[in-house]
Amino acid sequence: MPLISTTKDLADFCARLSTESFVTVDTEFMREKTYWPKLCLIQLAGTTEAHCVDPLAPDIDMAPLFALMANESVLKVFHAARQDLEIFLHESGHLPKPIFDTQVAAMVCGFGDSVGYETLVAKLAKARIDKSMRFTDWARRPLNDRQLVYAAGDVTHLRVVYERLAETLAANGRTAWLDQEMAILTDPAHYRVEPEDAWMRIKARSRSARFLALLQELAAWRERTAQERDLPRNRVMRDEGLLEIAASAPTTPDALSQLRSVSKGMAEGTMGLGILEAVRLAQAIPEKALPHPPDREDLPQGLGPVVDLLKVLLKMKCEEAGVAQKLVANMNDLERIAADDNADVLAMEGWRRALFGEDALRLKHGHLAIALTADGQGLRVIPLSN
C-alpha cells in the first residue's frame, strides 16, 4: 500500500474523496512525551480506495486534508472520535464536520458501553483485526507494508461498520439521537483547556479559599508551561508538588528549594521564578475574589433507596430499548434526579428524558411501581393512579 507523502498526491486523493458521501478516518499519534498529541499517520478511505498519509513527510502541506475535513457535504466517520477530533482541532484550528462516531452509534444501538472497534468489526463486518502491530512506534520511519496494511484496516473495515450502524439507526428511528451526541462532540468548548480551570482536576483535601487560590495559580502556571514547552503536565510538576507548594506558600527561592517536590536547580531557575510569581499572584487576590470549592452535593437523608430504584429503572429501560446505560445516565445523575426534579443533567434532556427521565420522575413521585413478573423471572413497570 503506497504511503502518501507529497502534497500533490494528498491533494489528488482528497479531491477524489470530496465526491464521496462519506469517508472513514483514523489517526495514529504519540503522546507519552508531549503535551500536544504528535500526529504520526492519518488513514482515510472512501468507498473504493484507502490510503495512509504521512504528516511527518518533509514539506508536505496538510491543507488539502484540512479542507476535506471542513467539507460539510462529506460525512467523516470515526470510531471513538474524541482524541482524533482533538488532534484535528490542534493541527488546523477547526473540528471536522459533520461526523459520525461508530462507538457512540453502537451504544445507541445496544452494543453496550464503550464498545471496541475490534468487537464491531467482528460482529458487523465479519472480519478479524490483526493485533500484532498494535504497539508500533508510529513516529519511526520508514513504516513497512505490514504496518501500513494494519493501519489501513482501521478505516477499511470501518466502512462496513458505519453502513450497518447507519441502517440500524434509520430502522429504529434513532438517527436524531446520534445527531444530538455528535453536536456535543463537535463543540470546540469540549476540547479547550483553560489554564485558569486546571486546578479543578486536582484532588485537594483543603477547602481553604486562600489555599485554593494558590492551587489555582500554580495549576495555571503548570498548564501554560506544559503547553509552551510541549511537555506532559506531570513532566513539569506532579499534582503532589502543586499541593505541597500551595500548602507552604514559599516566597523566596531558598524557601521553595526546601520543599520535597522542588530541586535547588528548579527553585533558582526560570521554573522557580514562575512558581514564585504564581504564589505572589495568589497571595494578592482580595478575600472577596478568592475561589470557593465546589459545593458538596450530599444526598439528603433517606434518598438512598430512591436512587436504588432509579438504578433498577434505568437498567430496565436501557435493556428494553437496547441502549447502553452509560450513555443515558450515571450514578451522579441518578442521585441528582432523586434530590431534584429539575436536576441539570443530560438524562433529563432530549431523547434521554423520553427514554428514562420522565418515568424516573413518575417512579420518584409514586406514579409508577416496579414489580416482579408473574413467573418471577423478570421485572415490569406498573402505572399507578394519581
Side-chain angles (χ1 to χ4, degrees), residues 15 28 34-35 87 136 145 166 219 224 245 263 320 369:
E28 305 296 344
T34 60
Y35 180 92
I87 290 171
T136 285
D145 288 344
R224 286 190 290 266
I245 297 169
S263 68
E320 178 185 320

Side-chain angles (χ1 to χ4, degrees), residues 196-382:
E196 292 71 24
D197 296 331
W199 68 283
M200 296 181 182
R201 296 194 301 268
I202 301 173
K203 293 181 180 179
R205 294 182 179 180
S206 175
R207 294 174 67 83
S208 159
R210 183 63 64 183
F211 172 86
L212 294 177
L214 284 156
L215 184 60
Q216 181 180 42
E217 290 294 339
L218 289 164
W221 161 79
R222 180 181 69 173
E223 200 73 22
R224 286 190 290 266
T225 302
Q227 291 176 354
E228 291 165 3
R229 299 191 177 193
D230 196 18
L231 290 171
R233 295 180 187 92
N234 284 343
R235 289 279 293 274
V236 176
M237 180 168 287
R238 299 181 66 84
D239 288 356
E240 294 83 354
L242 298 182
L243 292 167
E244 183 185 16
I245 297 169
S248 59
T251 57
T252 67
D254 183 61
L256 182 60
S257 68
Q258 301 304 310
L259 301 181
R260 181 173 53 183
S261 304
V262 183
S263 68
K264 184 175 178 64
M266 176 186 285
E268 295 177 349
T270 56
M271 296 271 279
L273 290 175
I275 293 170
L276 293 175
E277 176 63 10
V279 171
R280 186 192 69 77
L281 290 172
Q283 297 287 39
I285 297 174
E287 288 290 332
K288 62 182 180 181
L290 291 174
H292 295 285
D295 293 332
R296 289 175 176 166
E297 296 188 26
D298 295 327
L299 197 63
Q301 193 72 21
L303 282 187
V306 178
V307 175
D308 290 339
L309 279 175
L310 291 175
K311 187 176 180 180
V312 172
L313 180 68
L314 175 65
K315 185 175 181 63
M316 292 174 65
K317 288 290 183 178
C318 290
E319 286 186 353
E320 178 185 320
V323 179
Q325 291 183 55
K326 178 180 177 180
L327 195 61
V328 178
N330 56 34
M331 276 301 295
N332 182 60
D333 295 337
L334 299 183
E335 290 177 354
R336 294 177 67 181
I337 292 169
D340 182 3
D341 286 0
N342 299 307
D344 183 18
V345 295
L346 283 176
M348 300 304 293
E349 298 176 9
W351 65 268
R352 292 177 176 83
R353 186 180 183 106
L355 176 71
F356 167 73
E358 291 291 348
D359 278 350
L361 295 179
R362 292 189 188 101
L363 179 65
K364 175 182 170 183
H365 291 290
H367 303 316
L368 287 180
I370 297 175
L372 283 167
T373 56
D375 61 6
Q377 300 300 306
L379 295 174
R380 61 193 177 104
V381 174
I382 305 172

Side-chain angles (χ1 to χ4, degrees), residues 4-16 59-61 64:
I4 291 179
S5 57
T6 70
T7 303
K8 182 182 184 307
D9 288 344
L10 176 61
D12 290 344
F13 182 41
C14 288
R16 295 192 298 274
D59 303 321
I60 192 169
D61 185 347

Side-chain angles (χ1 to χ4, degrees), residues 31 34 77 80 107 115 118 155 174 180 275 286 324 346:
R31 200 172 194 169
T34 60
V77 179
M107 292 168 73
V115 61
E118 184 179 343
V155 289
R174 295 179 183 175
Q180 292 178 37
I275 293 170
L346 283 176

Side-chain angles (χ1 to χ4, degrees), residues 100-130:
F100 185 106
D101 188 329
T102 55
Q103 185 177 72
V104 179
M107 292 168 73
V108 172
C109 293
F111 283 85
D113 293 343
S114 304
V115 61
Y117 179 63
E118 184 179 343
T119 299
L120 289 180
V121 168
K123 290 185 175 181
L124 299 178
K126 309 302 180 186
R128 295 182 62 184
I129 301 293
D130 177 7

